[in-house]
Amino acid sequence: MFTLASLSASPSPSPALHHLPRRVLARVVPVGVAVVVAGSVGAWYRDVHGIVEQDAGRIALTVIRLLDPDREGNLWSWYSVTLLLALAVALGVGALQRTGRRRRAYLVLTGVAVFLSADEGAQLHETLSLVGNFVLGSGGPTFAWVLPGALLAAAVAVGLVVVARDVEPRLRLRLVLAGLVFLTGALGVESVGGSFAEGLVMGQDVPPSPYYVLVALEETLELLGASLALWAALHAVVDPRPVAPAVAPGSTSGPASAPTDPARPADAGTAVAGR
């Protein structure tokens, strides 16, 4: 049974705990990608070719609705929320293992993960569309929240860079990479998908297929970013010891000491006594 005591009682993690982050990553990503691909292909077929809503067609439409990554309140939305909540729990456990400034930094990161999970479930970011429409006008893009969302994300990123200075360098680097992957999907790809959605809504001659590809790409990048962050946080929990600096062979990690010849101090003392 894995407990907080088992994670922090011994100076080195057990083999089972040591492999936990990799095992979690190896299960979370394939399942998520499979759901994204199945839901996107199903939604594309439903919207482009149509499915008759009777007998087997009704079952197919229900399955597609549950898996469609472009809809809310379904299995994919639940999966994403759970993944981000797991990240928050891992960072929270990491905070309990630490003290001082490092604990505060972990608590801030835990709060960010909780907010992301709430945003994923309640679509809080879409309220920023009001700001985007005010700035861009009523003729702005369908995903008008992307502009204020990008500005908000930049401000939060600056704050997190300051906070991240108090966490271990290895975790900091991994979280930065995970954040870049996540934001590439959440802001970059979604802004491109918004232009396709705008064309489809306005009845323009826009091929629908690229939109579903972009939705799948966006959700996959968000999945990978959140999964990498969870993997990094679990590594920090399983092995909370700070990484020691490399020590050259034959040297000591403490302050420089005097002569390495063990006989010299004794000889010096004898000489003084002989005088």
Side-chain angles (χ1 to χ4, degrees), residues 80-159:
S80 301
V81 170
T82 303
L83 177 59
L84 292 168
L85 277 179
L87 171 60
V89 170
L91 290 169
V93 173
L96 294 176
Q97 294 175 313
R98 290 157 176 84
T99 59
R101 293 170 62 90
R102 186 156 288 177
R103 170 176 286 186
R104 289 194 294 271
Y106 270 75
L107 289 175
V108 171
L109 294 174
T110 301
V112 171
V114 170
F115 173 79
L116 289 175
S117 67
D119 175 64
E120 186 68 28
Q123 294 297 296
L124 300 177
H125 62 270
E126 292 192 356
T127 60
L128 294 174
S129 296
L130 298 175
V131 179
N133 287 326
F134 176 79
V135 174
L136 300 175
S138 59
T142 303
F143 294 179
W145 69 267
V146 171
L147 175 60
L151 297 176
L152 179 61
V156 172
V158 172

Side-chain angles (χ1 to χ4, degrees), residues 24-35 79 83 220 223-224 227-228:
V24 170
L25 187 67
R27 288 162 175 76
V28 168
V29 173
V31 171
V33 171
V35 173
Y79 191 85
L83 177 59
T220 300
L223 166 71
L224 291 177
S227 300
L228 287 174

Side-chain angles (χ1 to χ4, degrees), residues 106-219:
Y106 270 75
L107 289 175
V108 171
L109 294 174
T110 301
V112 171
V114 170
F115 173 79
L116 289 175
S117 67
D119 175 64
E120 186 68 28
Q123 294 297 296
L124 300 177
H125 62 270
E126 292 192 356
T127 60
L128 294 174
S129 296
L130 298 175
V131 179
N133 287 326
F134 176 79
V135 174
L136 300 175
S138 59
T142 303
F143 294 179
W145 69 267
V146 171
L147 175 60
L151 297 176
L152 179 61
V156 172
V158 172
L160 289 179
V161 167
V162 176
V163 172
R165 293 185 300 179
D166 293 326
V167 304
E168 298 85 350
R170 180 173 57 185
L171 175 64
R172 180 168 61 243
L173 176 61
R174 290 172 173 174
L175 289 181
V176 167
L177 293 176
L180 289 175
V181 173
F182 186 90
L183 290 177
T184 298
L187 293 177
V189 177
E190 181 153 355
S191 63
V192 177
S195 63
F196 278 90
E198 179 75 13
L200 293 173
V201 170
M202 299 299 294
Q204 300 174 0
D205 187 17
V206 177
S209 298
Y211 174 74
Y212 298 93
V213 173
L214 289 170
V215 168
L217 178 60
E218 172 206 338
E219 297 295 336

